[in-house]
Amino acid sequence: MLIGDCMKAAGYGQWRAAPELPKVGPKTLTDWRYGIHDGELAKRRGYKPEEAEQAAYDAAVNVGAVDGTSALGPDGQALQACRGEARTKLKGDVIDYSDEAQKLGNEAFVRSKEDPAVVAAFQAWSACMKEHGYDYKQPLDASDDPRFGSRNVTPEEIATATSDIACRDRTQVAKMWWQAETGLQGAALEKHAESLNKSRKDMDAAAKAAADVLAGKK
């Protein structure tokens, strides 16, 4: 709203923010974090999301929807200035406040793969996949296989994905991985509590500033 008002004042009354892209595939940061888990979906789509979700996503892209990082276009200089003005009024860029938490989460994910219990689970999963005729060392290696990179779902992909699900269920690899990662995340939260609490307060302040702006426009 603030950017729109600023752009109108700058002479770009026809400017409109691009719509956001609809969700496709994982719905949260933990959904699909350790790989696929829906056996029925795997039987139909292999490693790919629901066909209707993908179609809606593609249609949104075709009409200009973006993930928050659109090109600036011919009004780029004015838009940059208006973004800066809006962020100042909202006491900064809320997205930046979560950078540390995101960084710590990513580090925990990487380190969790070195946990002895996770290494053992990966080995068990890999051995199970070999029984089905596949040679992958880690669970995400299967979904990242370049053979499954096209939009088309092949019988080979479905066969691999369903075997993957069966081996995941047998070895409980996602559970072991989740337990290891959450333990590392908990330790990181304790170690960085002071800076993370500051980020939380900064986000609360930005949210309050946004609420005040909205209240002033009603």
Side-chain angles (χ1 to χ4, degrees):
M1 290 173 60
L2 290 172
I3 293 173
D5 290 347
C6 176
M7 290 293 285
K8 183 177 180 180
Y12 296 94
Q14 300 302 313
W15 181 86
R16 295 291 183 276
E20 294 183 3
L21 285 169
K23 290 284 188 180
V24 61
K27 302 300 185 293
T28 67
L29 288 176
T30 51
D31 189 20
W32 290 20
R33 186 172 182 83
Y34 311 110
I36 59 172
H37 50 77
D38 187 335
E40 291 304 313
L41 179 60
K43 290 178 183 177
R44 292 182 283 106
R45 298 284 294 165
Y47 290 104
K48 295 180 174 60
E50 291 283 5
E51 189 171 11
E53 285 185 6
Q54 188 65 63
Y57 182 93
D58 294 341
V61 170
N62 288 336
V63 298
V66 297
D67 60 0
T69 56
S70 63
L72 297 180
D75 53 1
Q77 188 172 356
L79 181 55
Q80 286 283 45
C82 288
R83 284 178 175 173
E85 179 181 308
R87 288 172 179 173
T88 298
K89 291 181 178 179
L90 296 179
K91 302 186 186 303
D93 188 346
V94 178
I95 296 175
D96 289 345
Y97 299 146
S98 66
D99 282 355
E100 182 181 14
Q102 188 68 51
K103 178 175 178 290
L104 293 173
N106 291 338
E107 289 175 352
F109 180 80
V110 173
R111 290 174 57 203
S112 66
K113 293 190 285 186
E114 301 172 0
D115 183 277
V118 176
V119 171
F122 282 3
Q123 291 174 342
W125 174 87
S126 180
C128 177
M129 288 294 282
K130 282 186 178 179
E131 293 176 13
H132 291 264
Y134 304 103
D135 186 17
Y136 298 110
K137 290 185 177 180
Q138 297 185 4
L140 297 185
D141 291 346
S143 55
D144 291 341
D145 193 321
R147 293 178 300 167
F148 311 141
S150 72
R151 290 294 180 88
N152 297 323
V153 180
T154 64
E156 182 180 22
E157 179 178 349
I158 290 175
T160 305
T162 52
S163 295
D164 187 355
I165 291 284
C167 289
R168 286 169 177 275
D169 290 344
R170 185 201 297 186
T171 61
Q172 295 290 292
V173 66
K175 179 181 178 181
M176 303 302 294
W177 199 348
W178 174 80
Q179 288 176 337
E181 186 181 15
T182 53
L184 290 167
Q185 288 176 343
L189 285 171
E190 291 184 11
K191 182 177 180 181
H192 299 272
E194 183 176 351
S195 58
L196 290 170
N197 282 331
K198 181 182 181 303
S199 293
R200 170 70 63 85
K201 291 178 181 178
D202 289 342
M203 292 177 71
D204 289 344
K208 183 180 183 304
D212 291 343
V213 170
L214 288 172
K217 288 183 174 293
K218 290 181 179 179

